[in-house]
Amino acid sequence: MLRQTLNVKGMHCASCAAIITKKISKLDGVKDVSVNFATENATVEFDPAKIAVHDMDQAIGKLGYNLKAPDQNDHSAHTGINQSKEDKMKELSALKAKTLFALPITLAIFILMMWDIAGRTLYYVPNLPLPMELFNIVSMLLATVVLFWVGQPFLHGVMTFIRHRVANMDTLIGIGTLAAYIYSLVITLLPQLRLIFKLPEYTYFDVTIVVIGFVVLGKYLETRSKFRTGEAIEKLLNLQAKTALVWREEKEIEISINEVKIGEIIIVKPGAKIPVDGKIIEGQSTIDESMVSGESLPVDKKIGDLVIGATINKQGSFKFSATKIGGDTLLSQIIRMVEEAQGSKAPIQALADKVSSIFVPLVLGIALLTLALWLTLGVSNLGFSTALSYGILSFVGILVIACPCALGLATPTAIIVGVGKGAEYGILIKNAEALEKLSKIDTVVFDKTGTITTGKPVLSDLVSLNDQWTEARIIKMSASLEKLSEHPLAQAIVNKAQEQSASLLEVKNFKALEGVGVSGIIDNQAVIIRKPNLEESNNEVIKSLQSEGKTVVVLEVEKTTVGIMALSDTLKSEAQKAIAKLHDKGIKVVMLTGDNHLAAKYIAQQAEIDTVIAEILPQEKAQKIKELQAQGRKVAMAGDGINDAPALAQADVGIAMATGTDIAIESAGITLLHGDIAKISQAFVLSKATLKTVKQNLFWAFIYNIIGIPIAAGVLFPIWGIILNPIFAGLAMAGSSVSVVLNSLRLKTKKL
């Protein structure tokens, strides 16, 4: 059996993925199929001796979809968008043009539509100041363009349904708008026919325009969101170094990163980006791994230590042997993990797509059955002309009242209001899926650095070992020396001196002692700031500070240790309160970090976190999320580093700090401005309120169909002689839309 990921084109909604899955899974030789609407991929396990990709493509080709193996040499095959950037931009641009054309017309017609209905039903509302004949002609022209240009995919959905009996949301919209259009066209162009069959002069061109306009807007926003997801992967790819400095033929040669071979000796100079993964064989340095590890503190490296491609060399030169290249590097693995974790996690709107497969044939069946009953039972009791008139009214009324305008508005309107409400509180929401999933979360996993902590090292502790050396004097002397250092920890000491407005001293003979510290001459005294030696490591003060996971350095003047300084990451001021609020909601809190156990445990105790998982590799974070999910837990992940991207994508909901990396933000469904984790609790309140509103909207969208369709069919006629005129079918449809919009607007008053 061969397992292969293939590109799919032509999908418009979640039900498209279901149709493709069903079709391919029935083919001989196919064992398993998983179609991902979000990434436009299909993972198929099949026997190549029995079936080929070409055969699968032909099977779904007649339904309007295409399937092909990705070009491994095509850079865009790794971006999650399955098309070149130029092609996707063209598609997005075309959809934007349709949206910008249809939306102003939609809003204008919707206002006139509501005015006309109100004028016909409420005596105190004046009628439209336009002759009905003129209004019908203008509406007909506009509806023709909107239906046959903007609404082309919906008409294609109708044809696919007729030919192959497969229905999606496009089919439902296409049938409703096409029925309204054809009926209205007959009324407008054949007035004699209307008089013969005693049909009302009211048309439904406005229904066609309004439904297509709002639905196309939603599709444009969805396509734009998917395109941005592809850009996130593209940014990850751009982190890679483009070239490598290798040692060949007894000299340094700069080559493309693609030409590097396993075992090749690579030279890295200060400030350079490490091209591939490997092991140091000569020299030592300090490397900034924050872009992969998320940890703000640089890491000292020596012979035998591993280095990671795309990280940055801060100090010193070294040579290393390449151990992993190309798709085997850690960065490439992270990219693949993000792609795999970005699943088609259907939001509640998928309910509409599922219902459509039953609802479309059901509504059509009811409409045709109703017409047949009027032409049989009705003719014998009322005569042909009257029965036919009532039959046509019922047929059109059923299709119009079943038109899914409210169904199309149910989720988008609630999401638009909910997202706007979140923005007021600094909670940026990427899509409806994130809000739906967040309401069901029972576990929140936090990255440590930059999420729970500030991510910036500070001088947290200072101990004088000599009465003559006050804290102020130690800081002044230390900062004078460290101001010449490139090490990030040095900046924390300099910042402390600046806070105290200390005037720094002149330094002579400054030296960076790689892997040890820095030295120089100040006031004719030999000064060194270094790591504690073996004897000093047994000092109770130093042991206590190190037990809290802090980085300890000592100040040595004229070979005498005069002070101890501890540097550490600090807990965010709002962390304790934010975690307490999550506990109040019954949510379990887990901290996930690549930092050492001591530092992680110290921070966790301060923040009162339930569970700590420390010293894990970047690629293991997503696996830990999977393990929690395997236990049946609904998991949200909050992080800010590139190493968090796979975990953010794997989690049911990814929450990124706006102070973090672009990649983390792009991989997450929710972003918190200013990195304020106190907003997570507010996001939970917002998600529950929004999801509740969406469910209410879907109720109102369906209730009009449930009540209106039987009335339109004429169930009340035998009792009270009542039949639902299409005018009132339009009013009911509009009423459902208004109910949905007004209900969504209530979210604006919600306090988070």
Side-chain angles (χ1 to χ4, degrees), residues 74 94 109 116 121 148 152 214 244 278 289 346 447 485 497 507 521 553-554 596 598 682 740:
D74 182 4
I109 291 296
D116 183 54
T121 54
F148 290 96
Q152 189 178 11
F214 280 122
E289 295 186 341
D447 171 53
S485 173
V507 179
I521 304 296
V553 295
V554 298
N596 67 70
L598 293 175
Q682 294 175 326
V740 161

Side-chain angles (χ1 to χ4, degrees), residues 677-698:
I677 61 173
K679 300 181 188 299
I680 293 180
S681 178
Q682 294 175 326
F684 273 97
V685 175
L686 179 65
S687 71
K688 288 183 182 294
T690 305
L691 188 62
K692 182 180 179 181
T693 301
V694 170
K695 289 178 178 178
Q696 290 169 344
N697 286 350
L698 287 172

